[in-house]
Amino acid sequence: AVIYTFNETANEFESASRVSAEPEGIKIIPQPSVNDDHPRSDGIGVRSINRRQRTISYEEPDIEVHPFHAKQGVRAVCCFPLIVVKQVVGVLYIYLREKRSFSRLELLMLENFVNQAAMAIYHTRRLANMQRDLERKEDEINRLHRASMLISSRLRLEETLESILQLAMEMTNAHYGIFRLLDRSGQNLITRAFVGNDMQRPQLETLPVETNSVMGLVARNRQPLLISDLQDATWANIYYPLDAGFRMRSELAVPLINASGGLEGVLNIESPEPRAFDENSSHMLQSLATYAVTAIQEVRLLDALQEIARQIFALSYKDVITHLVNIACELLNASGSAIWVIQDTNLVLEAASGGYRHDEKIPIMGSLTGMAILNREPVFTNNVQTDPRFLRQDLAEAQNWEHALIVPIITNDTDRPLGAFSVYSTTNDSGRFSESEWDKKVLTFLSHYAVLALQFEQKQQDLQLAQEQRSVAETFAAVGDIASNLLHHLNNKVGTIPVRVQSIQDKYALALEKDPYLSNNLQEIERCAMEAMQTVRINLSHLRPIHLEPVYVAARVMEAIKSSELPKNVKVQVEALEYLPVVLAGGQSLTFVFSNLLMNASDAMKGEGVILIKGYPQPKWVEITVSDSGPGIPPEIHGRIFELNFSGRSGNRIGKLGFGLWWVKTLMTRLGGSITIESDGKSGTTFRLRLPRLEVPA
């Protein structure tokens, strides 16, 4: 009796599996070697397999006993296929040296034995396959663990990718492999790492995504592609060899898809052997691709954060937040991004990458961006073009935006929101923010840097204000002494003019009656001298130290409106001033500030228009805005408008020194406050004043 196992997939007998047995006392000479009685392609074994039933030689006239066994005196042979679940796992040959037929009992016994033998072979084979699979999986797990260790080791990205390629080649017996990553434009695949055996002329140039190549096809479809034979007509025309000196036969390429669903690039391996890769190779390579994507995203994020950390204290506030919105677009595959800051009940645009205009405002209540601030958590929408909470659907349509992700910008110390950070993607972008927590975490992390930038800018402004206040205080202390001395000398000189005029009028009364011209001139000299002294006293009084005291803003505004004597066609409106808390200021100086701003606004409107004065209480400050309906002030001169030597549009007024807005800014600084200007140069101007609130003991 002889058993051979059979590989149905390869359609061949396995020679090394041969086992045999002979009755006791019978010795076969010579002893058969492994291949002596190997089944013939047209023998009884193949016939039994094809029929899926037993075959007996004496029942088939055209069957001859195998030559090897014929020499041993075999007269007949019976062959049984060993079948389990319709799968042939082997054949059993029974040889007779006697000239007789197999009995019915023998055939029944053999049928029973065949079933047991088939099950034994089937289970043994399955067990062996399972053992091999376990060993292979264990090896794959160990290699994948090495891949994860590579990422945590913080190597350069190229080194990490090269190490992953080495692992891929070891696990698949590939000849070489390559990583091509998508550039910022999303149009080209750039070589970032490659490894290979005996490479001579590697072709590493940029590969357009739309090119007719395997990697381009994978990038466009974003699906793995397993090619068993590159010589097939389907693939021969688009095959693009990594090395011009080789012609590969098998190729396996998988896309690199990030956590947002966006394409990062393509991982490709090749082999000179046909059918070198299988589905298991594809699954393994996809696992390695996931590790590669993690490495790419981590390196990109770390590089971006390092760059921001270097810039946040070196660049201007505007440059930092502009850089933040650009980085957000790059890291999250977004088409637009914006940073908003809270101002009263609105959100004001600080920086944007997209179609927004600088200083654009949206309300907090009722807006999608405002919802993130009110809820203090990220907000997502699938379609900003149809979402009624997104208040710029015209912009969404113009920019082709679809998805939006918004996170609040919150201080860590007070849990107080400062604004919001938003990103937008188009219908063509690969990233879908709702599918991954990665986007929320990255944007939230970037919002922390926005907090740092905002807080650092505020501290810089506070420091600058403190320095200005100290400098102004020191300057005015010196100027106050000079002013007192100047006023004393003016009193001595100019103050005698009215006295001398009166003496002339008394002594030469008759002559003056006869000469009206002389009389009128003396009266004018007297009047001018007295007005000059009054003007000097009023203006120089502002040079003396200011006594800070509790002041009601509303009262000072009303006093300024009354004293300004504005033209009848200039209307002044006030809002929410009576609800403002008490501020710490100088009453007379504050009246002077509002009076100057009112007259400045009247000049800007050419004596006709509306001035709105509105108050906003803040935790530590009181803000007051003075807005006019004039033509506005061009943004390019906002930085010079408060300079002493700036030539404004208003002329000198009677009784004023003509220092204009410089004087207003100086007084606000001395009061411990500040003043800024807001205008687009087209429709009106707003001056925003800040004054410290009076601290009330708890």
Side-chain angles (χ1 to χ4, degrees), residues 357-458:
R357 291 182 291 104
H358 182 64
D359 288 338
E360 184 168 343
K361 293 182 180 180
I362 57 174
I364 294 177
M365 297 299 298
S367 68
L368 188 68
T369 307
M371 183 177 294
I373 293 173
L374 296 174
N375 296 339
R376 285 176 167 77
E377 61 182 21
V379 172
F380 169 80
T381 183
N382 276 312
N383 196 334
V384 292
Q385 297 184 25
T386 58
D387 194 326
R389 300 170 299 173
F390 190 74
L391 305 182
R392 287 297 310 277
Q393 292 178 356
D394 59 325
L395 180 61
E397 292 176 1
Q399 299 291 323
N400 196 27
W401 288 343
E402 184 174 16
H403 311 293
L405 174 65
I406 305 154
V407 300
I409 299 175
I410 301 177
T411 58
N412 294 328
D413 50 352
T414 63
D415 195 33
R416 180 172 62 90
L418 300 178
F421 203 148
S422 57
V423 287
Y424 313 96
S425 68
T426 70
T427 54
N428 297 324
D429 290 335
S430 58
R432 293 181 61 89
F433 305 125
S434 62
E435 291 183 357
S436 172
E437 289 295 316
W438 170 264
D439 304 278
K440 295 178 184 178
K441 290 179 180 179
V442 170
L443 195 58
T444 301
F445 205 65
L446 292 178
S447 74
H448 296 332
Y449 278 87
V451 169
L452 287 177
L454 289 166
Q455 290 181 331
F456 183 67
E457 174 67 9
Q458 185 60 57

Side-chain angles (χ1 to χ4, degrees), residues 48 52 66 98 122 148 161 257 392 453 537 587 633 660 687:
S48 298
R52 293 291 200 275
H66 194 289
E98 306 169 6
Y122 176 76
S148 66
L161 296 181
I257 307 297
R392 287 297 310 277
R537 286 192 186 97
I633 299 175
F687 288 96

Side-chain angles (χ1 to χ4, degrees), residues 123-330:
H123 286 300
T124 302
R125 181 176 287 176
R126 283 195 62 189
L127 194 61
N129 289 339
M130 290 174 60
Q131 184 66 30
R132 285 195 298 270
D133 288 342
L134 285 173
E135 291 174 355
R136 185 174 66 250
K137 291 297 181 183
E138 183 180 3
D139 182 63
E140 289 180 3
I141 290 172
N142 290 334
R143 292 175 189 271
L144 292 175
H145 179 67
R146 284 174 56 193
S148 66
M149 295 298 291
L150 287 172
I151 297 173
S152 61
S153 65
R154 294 294 186 268
L155 299 171
R156 290 189 311 109
L157 179 59
E158 286 76 9
E159 294 175 357
T160 302
L161 296 181
E162 287 176 4
S163 299
I164 291 175
L165 283 175
Q166 290 286 2
L167 283 175
M169 291 178 61
E170 291 175 11
M171 298 170 73
T172 62
N173 295 317
H175 194 76
Y176 52 62
I178 185 172
F179 273 105
R180 277 193 168 97
L181 304 187
L182 205 64
D183 65 1
R184 291 191 177 184
S185 70
Q187 304 299 316
N188 301 296
L189 295 168
I190 308 297
T191 300
R192 291 298 298 271
F194 69 95
V195 294
N197 301 325
D198 305 321
M199 298 185 70
Q200 300 172 2
R201 291 177 291 162
Q203 302 183 102
L204 308 176
E205 62 271 18
T206 298
L207 191 66
V209 171
E210 296 299 326
T211 190
N212 193 23
S213 66
V214 172
M215 296 190 79
L217 184 63
V218 171
R220 293 193 297 273
N221 295 337
R222 306 190 182 199
Q223 294 293 328
L225 184 58
L226 172 60
I227 302 175
S228 298
D229 195 341
L230 288 165
Q231 292 185 1
D232 289 347
T234 305
W235 312 113
N237 295 330
I238 69 170
Y239 174 61
Y240 183 86
L242 174 58
D243 194 306
F246 293 96
R247 189 71 180 179
M248 295 290 106
R249 293 291 301 275
S250 301
E251 185 166 0
L252 175 59
V254 298
L256 307 177
I257 307 297
N258 60 33
S260 306
L263 179 70
E264 294 285 354
V266 179
L267 166 58
N268 183 69
I269 58 174
E270 298 183 21
S271 171
E273 300 295 331
R275 295 179 295 278
F277 311 120
D278 54 18
E279 288 299 323
N280 185 65
S281 304
S282 179
H283 294 319
M284 182 278 304
L285 200 63
Q286 290 177 61
S287 298
L288 290 177
T290 302
Y291 285 111
V293 168
T294 303
I296 292 167
Q297 289 189 309
E298 283 195 4
V299 168
R300 185 178 296 159
L301 180 59
L302 287 173
D303 289 346
L305 296 181
Q306 288 176 357
E307 186 178 358
I308 296 172
R310 288 193 300 267
Q311 293 178 347
I312 199 164
F313 300 118
L315 299 181
S316 68
Y317 165 68
K318 288 294 184 183
D319 289 340
V320 171
I321 60 174
T322 299
H323 189 62
L324 279 173
V325 297
N326 291 331
I327 284 180
C329 289
E330 180 181 342

